């Protein structure tokens, strides 16, 4: 008897492995864009860079001290302190950017929660109704107030632009 390939054999397993690999790659890419994850990944590099800066500074200080005391000549090559310090500062700049980005993300999340704090339950998922969700009428009143506020801002800007345009025109001569 010849072995027949049945559904669920080796071919679907290859597909599952490829899907798992694809999910891992997507997760890795998402983590690259996550500022908190990037910050956590940069901290060990920053520690290593700081250790390198201190080591090079110590070696250079010892080398300069022996030159000043006349023990050694300046023929020996020493590592460049400025390059290691520049690497340290570059990592500090990256960490600062990560923290600023994380702060901006948090601020946007807080603002989003403040201006639209609760969800409206959908008819397709009645079992997922949250206790904090808005009724449809509450949701409509919130949207109406947001539209009203946007109209007020629009009208204030139009009025302001008309005043500015009116000041720029010369007055009629009598």
């Amino acid at each position: 008897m010849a072995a027949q390939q049945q559904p669920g054999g080796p071919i679907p397993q290859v597909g599952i492995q490829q899907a798992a690999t694809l999910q891992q790659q997507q997760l890795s890419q998402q983590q690259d864009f996550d500022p908190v994850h990037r910050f956590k990944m940069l901290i060990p590099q920053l520690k290593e860079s700081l250790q390198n800066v201190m080591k090079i500074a110590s070696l250079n200080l010892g080398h300069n001290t022996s030159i000043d005391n006349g023990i050694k000549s300046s023929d020996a090559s020493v590592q460049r302190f400025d390059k290691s310090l520049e690497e340290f500062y570059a990592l500090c700049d990256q960490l600062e950017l990560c923290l600023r980005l994380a702060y901006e993300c948090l601020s946007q999340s807080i603002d989003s929660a403040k201006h639209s704090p609760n969800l409206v339950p959908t008819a397709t998922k009645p079992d997922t109704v949250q206790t904090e969700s808005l009724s449809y009428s509450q949701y409509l009143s919130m949207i109406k107030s947001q539209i009203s506020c946007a109209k007020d801002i629009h009208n204030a800007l139009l009025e302001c632009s008309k005043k500015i345009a009116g000041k720029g025109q010369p007055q009629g001569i009598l």
Side-chain angles (χ1 to χ4, degrees):
M1 272 186 142
Q4 293 180 356
Q5 195 169 5
Q6 296 180 5
I11 293 175
Q13 288 179 348
V14 171
I16 292 171
Q17 290 173 348
Q18 288 174 347
T21 304
L22 181 64
Q23 284 180 338
Q24 288 175 348
Q25 289 173 351
Q26 289 174 345
L27 180 62
S28 174
Q29 288 173 352
Q30 288 174 350
Q31 288 176 345
D32 288 343
F33 294 117
D34 181 19
V36 175
H37 178 74
R38 179 132 172 85
F39 179 83
K40 289 178 181 178
M41 297 299 289
L42 287 173
I43 290 294
Q45 293 177 17
L46 183 70
K47 288 180 180 178
E48 183 180 320
S49 178
L50 181 60
Q51 288 174 347
N52 190 32
V53 166
M54 293 299 170
K55 183 180 100 178
I56 291 173
S58 172
L59 291 173
N60 286 349
L61 183 63
H63 180 75
N64 289 340
T65 302
S66 38
I67 289 174
D68 289 345
N69 291 335
I71 299 172
K72 290 185 181 177
S73 65
S74 62
D75 294 340
S77 65
V78 290
Q79 292 181 340
R80 302 254 331 242
F81 177 74
D82 57 342
K83 288 188 179 187
S84 62
L85 191 62
E86 187 65 32
E87 178 187 330
F88 176 76
Y89 281 141
L91 285 169
C92 287
D93 290 343
Q94 288 179 23
L95 286 170
E96 181 183 7
L97 289 175
C98 288
L99 289 175
R100 286 183 187 205
L101 182 59
Y103 178 76
E104 284 298 318
C105 290
L106 178 65
S107 296
Q108 286 183 358
S109 176
I110 289 171
D111 288 343
S112 176
K114 183 171 80 173
H115 296 295
S116 182
N118 302 317
L119 300 175
V120 176
T122 60
T124 58
K125 297 180 183 177
D127 58 334
T128 61
V129 175
Q130 299 174 351
T131 58
E132 299 177 5
S133 63
L134 295 174
S135 68
Y136 188 70
S137 61
Q138 291 172 325
Y139 177 74
L140 282 178
S141 68
M142 181 181 69
I143 295 300
K144 286 178 183 177
S145 71
Q146 289 177 347
I147 291 172
S148 172
C149 182
K151 284 182 181 178
D152 290 345
I153 291 171
H154 177 73
N155 290 338
L157 289 172
L158 281 176
E159 185 180 319
C160 204
S161 67
K162 287 177 183 176
K163 285 182 181 179
I164 291 173
K167 289 183 181 179
Q169 295 176 352
Q171 299 280 335
I173 302 176
L174 296 173

